[in-house]
Amino acid sequence: MRQIPLAIGVEATCTFDNFHPGANAAAIEHLRALAAPAAPVYLWGPSGSGKTHLLQALAQRFQRQGGTVGWFGPADAPPWPIDESRALVVFDGCEAFDPDQQHAAFALFADASARGIPVAAAGRLPPVDLPLRDDLRTRLGWGHVLALQPLSEAETRATLRRDADRRGLFLSDEVMDYLLTRFERDLKHLMALLDRLDQYALVNKRAITVPLLKQMLAETAE
C-alpha cells in the first residue's frame, strides 16, 4: 500500500490535460467531476488504454485539494490499513489481486463506502469477468463502470506527431511507420521510446532516422 502524500507517489506528468482522449472524453469528464460523496467508479480496458494515467490524474486532483490518497495495487502486500482521513481510495490492477489482497480490498471498500469516501478502481476486465471473490467483484460493479478504448492508429500517429513537434523533432513517415509496426501501440511506451530516441539523437548529434533507432535499440539490448 502507498499512502500518497501531496505530490509524492503519483507521476506528476499524468494529468487530465495531457491525456489523449480519443473515444474516452466521457470518462475523463466523469473523473474530473468526481467528488465526495460519490458512487464508486471502475475503469476497464486493455493495456495501454490509459487506466493508470487517469487514476493518477484523479489522485493528483484530490491531492491538490489537500486530501490524502490511499493507492493499492498487486505489488502492495496486505494488510492494507483503514484510514478515515483519506479523501480517495484507489485500486489499480484489480484482476491480479491475490486472495489476501481481495480480502483487504473488500474491507477498505466497505469502510470507504460507509464514510462517503470515493473509490476509483481499474482493471483489464469488466467487473463481471474479474477473477475475484463475488462480494468484491459485485462492489466494483456497483457504481459507474467506464470502458476505455485505446487510440486508433490514426490517433496514435497524430499524437506522436504533435509530441515530436512540441519537442522540435522531425519524425519522417519512415520512422513513424517503423514505430507503429514494430512496437505495441501503447501510447505510454511509445512516448517513452520517443523520449529515449530524442535523447539518443541529441547525444549523437544525428537526425532521427530508422538506422539511428535500430542502433539505439541494439545498444540497449547489449
Side-chain angles (χ1 to χ4, degrees):
M1 184 276 291
R2 284 165 285 167
Q3 184 82 0
I4 308 177
L6 184 64
I8 297 176
V10 174
E11 291 186 29
T13 56
C14 291
T15 68
F16 290 124
D17 290 336
N18 67 16
F19 183 80
H20 306 282
N24 302 310
I28 297 172
E29 290 309 307
H30 181 87
L31 293 175
R32 281 183 181 275
L34 189 69
V41 58
Y42 178 84
L43 309 176
W44 72 274
S47 177
S49 56
K51 302 181 296 296
T52 300
H53 184 127
L54 289 177
L55 289 180
Q56 290 177 338
L58 179 65
Q60 284 194 67
R61 182 169 69 78
F62 274 81
Q63 290 171 340
R64 286 194 299 270
Q65 296 169 353
T68 300
V69 176
W71 184 292
F72 307 87
D76 301 311
W80 295 346
I82 290 172
D83 184 346
E84 62 187 54
S85 69
R86 292 189 186 115
L88 175 70
V89 173
V90 176
F91 300 118
D92 196 15
C94 292
E95 73 282 349
F97 285 0
D98 66 26
D100 289 338
Q101 291 170 328
Q102 293 174 44
H103 176 80
F106 179 80
L108 278 174
F109 204 125
D111 179 77
S113 297
R115 298 179 188 278
I117 300 170
V119 175
R124 295 187 181 185
L125 301 170
V128 68
D129 293 329
L130 287 169
L132 305 177
R133 49 190 276 181
D134 289 342
D135 52 6
L136 178 58
R137 185 171 58 245
T138 301
R139 292 250 176 177
L140 291 171
W142 267 3
H144 299 277
V145 177
L146 306 174
L148 298 184
Q149 302 297 325
L151 296 180
S152 67
E153 179 177 342
E155 290 167 335
T156 300
R157 188 179 292 268
T159 299
L160 287 173
R161 186 78 70 192
R162 284 196 300 270
D163 195 69
D165 290 344
R166 180 183 62 80
R167 298 166 182 260
L169 302 177
F170 173 70
L171 282 186
S172 67
D173 289 338
E174 184 183 19
V175 171
M176 187 75 75
D177 291 342
Y178 191 90
L179 288 171
L180 294 178
T181 57
R182 301 301 181 93
F183 302 94
E184 292 186 17
R185 291 171 191 164
D186 179 329
L187 191 59
K188 177 180 178 180
H189 293 98
L190 286 172
M191 287 295 193
L193 184 59
L194 182 60
D195 185 59
R196 288 171 51 202
L197 187 56
D198 181 12
Q199 295 297 319
Y200 190 80
L202 183 63
V203 169
N204 288 275
K205 299 180 180 179
R206 291 171 56 189
I208 294 178
T209 62
V210 170
L212 183 72
L213 175 55
K214 289 180 177 179
Q215 179 180 318
M216 182 191 77
L217 296 172
E219 291 183 6
T220 302
E222 292 178 353

